[in-house]
Amino acid sequence: GKVSSGYHFRTIAEEFDTEYGTYTVQLLRNVNSEQEMIQRIAVLLLTGTAVGGILSIMAGFYLAGVALVPINSALKKQQQFVSDASHELRTPLAVIQSRADLLLRSPNDTIEARALDISVISKECRRLTKLVSNLLLLARSDSNRIQLKIENISMNDLLGEIMMNYEELAEIQNKKIHLEIEKDIKLKADPERVHQLVVILLDNALKFTDDQGEIKLQCRKTHQGVELSVKDNGIGISKEDLPFIFDRFYQGEKSRTLEEGTGLGLSIARWIVYAHHGRIKMISEEGKGTTCKILFPK
C-alpha cells in the first residue's frame, strides 16, 4: 500500500499483451476505512488482553481466598478446640493439685477429718475421666475412625432399661420423668450410641429442670422413620444461646451458673445422630422449657 497525503491505497495491476506491445493497467483503491478498522481491532485486542489479564489475576486471588475460607475456618476451630480443651483439663487438675497439697500439709489427720478434700479429689477425677473420654470420642469421630455397630434394636427394651435408672434419680431430685412409646418399635442403629444419646439428653433435662419439674421421653413411628424426643418444663434456652448449643465447649450463661459442665454433651449427641444419617433439632423458650427432637430415618 502507498501513503499519499494521509491516504492509503491498494494497487491492483494487470498486464495485457496486444499487437502493439504489453500494457500494464493499474487500479488504485482507497483503503482508509479498512486501515482504521484494523487499528480499532488492534486497540480492542490489546485493551481486551490487558483487561482480561487483570480480571484473571483478580479472579485467581478471589477463588484462592474462597478456597482458603473453609481451611482457615477449620484451623481456627481446631485452635479454639485445643484452647478450650486445655482450659477444661487445667481446671480439674488445679483443683486436684490444691486439695492434694492440703492433704500433704496435714499428714497426721484422719481420713474422716479430711473427707471433704478426698471427696473433691474423687469428684474432679471422675469429671476429668469423663472429659478425656469425650475428647477422645470427638477426636476419633472427626477422623472417621469410629465404626458403628448397626443392629436391629428394640427401642421399647432400650428405653425401658434407661428409664429404670432415671426414674429413681428423678425421684431423688423431686422431679418426675415419663416414658411414652408406641408398641414394638424397631430401629437399625448402634445400641451403645443410641443409649449414650438418650442419657446425654436426659442428663441435660434433669440438670436444667427445677424441683417438681417434669420430663417426658417419647418415641414413635412416623412415615419418615423413628422420632425420639425429650421434653422438659425447665429454665429453657435463650434465643442468643440457641444457635450455638451444639458447638463444642459452648455453655450458655445459665448453664455456667447452675452447675459446672464441659459443653461437649450436645456435640456428641449431634455426632451420634448425624452418624446414623438422622436429624436433630432443639426447640426452646426461655422460662418455659426445652424439647429436643430427633429423627432416625428408615
Side-chain angles (χ1 to χ4, degrees):
K2 296 180 180 180
V3 179
S4 177
S5 303
Y7 292 100
H8 297 268
F9 297 94
R10 182 179 179 185
T11 304
I12 302 174
E14 193 71 33
E15 292 185 350
F16 296 93
D17 293 325
T18 66
E19 58 182 324
Y20 301 105
T22 301
Y23 294 91
T24 300
V25 178
Q26 289 185 335
L27 298 177
L28 298 180
R29 186 166 68 87
N30 191 319
V31 293
N32 275 9
S33 58
E34 286 86 348
Q35 289 290 334
E36 291 174 0
M37 183 178 294
I38 291 172
Q39 290 175 357
R40 290 195 192 101
I41 292 173
V43 171
L44 288 174
L45 286 174
L46 290 173
T47 305
T49 302
V51 172
I54 294 171
L55 291 177
S56 297
I57 294 171
M58 293 174 62
F61 278 112
Y62 173 76
L63 292 175
V66 170
L68 289 174
V69 165
I71 298 174
N72 289 332
S73 177
L75 182 59
K76 287 180 180 178
K77 286 184 178 180
Q78 184 180 18
Q79 292 172 341
Q80 185 64 42
F81 180 75
V82 172
S83 174
D84 291 339
S86 301
H87 174 75
E88 292 293 337
L89 290 169
R90 190 165 52 244
T91 302
L93 286 173
V95 174
I96 292 171
Q97 182 177 354
S98 64
R99 295 288 176 164
D101 290 342
L102 288 175
L103 292 177
L104 289 173
R105 292 176 187 175
S106 307
N108 297 323
D109 285 353
T110 63
I111 293 177
E112 184 179 357
R114 311 303 296 182
L116 179 60
D117 292 329
I118 296 172
S119 174
V120 171
I121 290 175
S122 177
K123 178 184 176 182
E124 292 300 319
C125 282
R126 289 194 299 271
R127 179 171 173 239
L128 191 59
T129 300
K130 182 179 179 181
L131 174 59
V132 171
S133 176
N134 288 340
L135 287 171
L136 288 174
L137 175 64
L138 289 171
R140 291 174 63 198
S141 69
D142 286 342
S143 58
N144 296 320
R145 291 169 55 194
I146 299 179
Q147 297 294 328
L148 297 181
K149 299 178 181 178
I150 303 299
E151 302 175 11
N152 281 316
I153 59 176
S154 168
M155 292 297 290
N156 302 75
D157 294 342
L158 187 144
L159 297 182
E161 179 185 346
I162 295 173
M163 285 296 295
M164 289 177 62
N165 299 323
Y166 274 86
E167 282 176 340
E168 184 177 350
L169 182 60
E171 187 176 348
I172 294 173
Q173 298 181 15
N174 295 320
K175 301 170 186 178
K176 294 181 180 180
I177 186 167
H178 309 283
L179 172 62
E180 296 180 2
I181 184 170
E182 297 177 355
K183 292 182 179 180
D184 194 29
I185 295 184
K186 303 292 184 182
L187 178 67
K188 274 193 172 184
D190 186 323
E192 181 181 347
R193 297 305 174 193
V194 174
H195 185 284
Q196 184 180 14
L197 169 67
V198 176
V199 166
I200 289 171
L201 298 180
L202 289 179
D203 279 344
N204 270 5
L206 284 172
K207 180 179 176 180
F208 298 111
T209 303
D210 299 326
D211 288 349
Q212 308 303 322
E214 291 189 7
I215 299 163
K216 190 179 293 184
L217 174 61
Q218 297 175 309
C219 186
R220 66 188 184 94
K221 295 178 183 177
T222 69
H223 65 280
Q224 293 178 314
V226 175
E227 184 182 85
L228 181 69
S229 66
V230 176
K231 183 178 181 180
D232 66 64
N233 59 354
I235 62 174
I237 305 169
S238 68
K239 292 181 179 179
E240 293 77 17
D241 291 331
L242 197 58
F244 308 104
I245 57 172
F246 292 111
D247 291 350
R248 297 175 185 182
F249 294 108
Y250 185 83
Q251 297 182 73
E253 291 300 320
K254 290 190 175 183
S255 65
R256 294 179 188 276
T257 56
L258 281 176
E259 184 179 338
E260 288 189 4
T262 61
L264 294 177
L266 289 178
S267 297
I268 294 173
R270 180 176 61 176
W271 167 75
I272 293 171
V273 174
Y274 285 178
H276 287 85
H277 308 289
R279 299 197 302 268
I280 183 169
K281 182 180 181 181
M282 196 73 75
I283 305 167
S284 185
E285 187 173 351
E286 197 169 5
K288 293 188 176 181
T290 302
T291 300
C292 182
K293 288 189 175 183
I294 296 163
L295 177 65
F296 291 103
K298 291 182 180 178

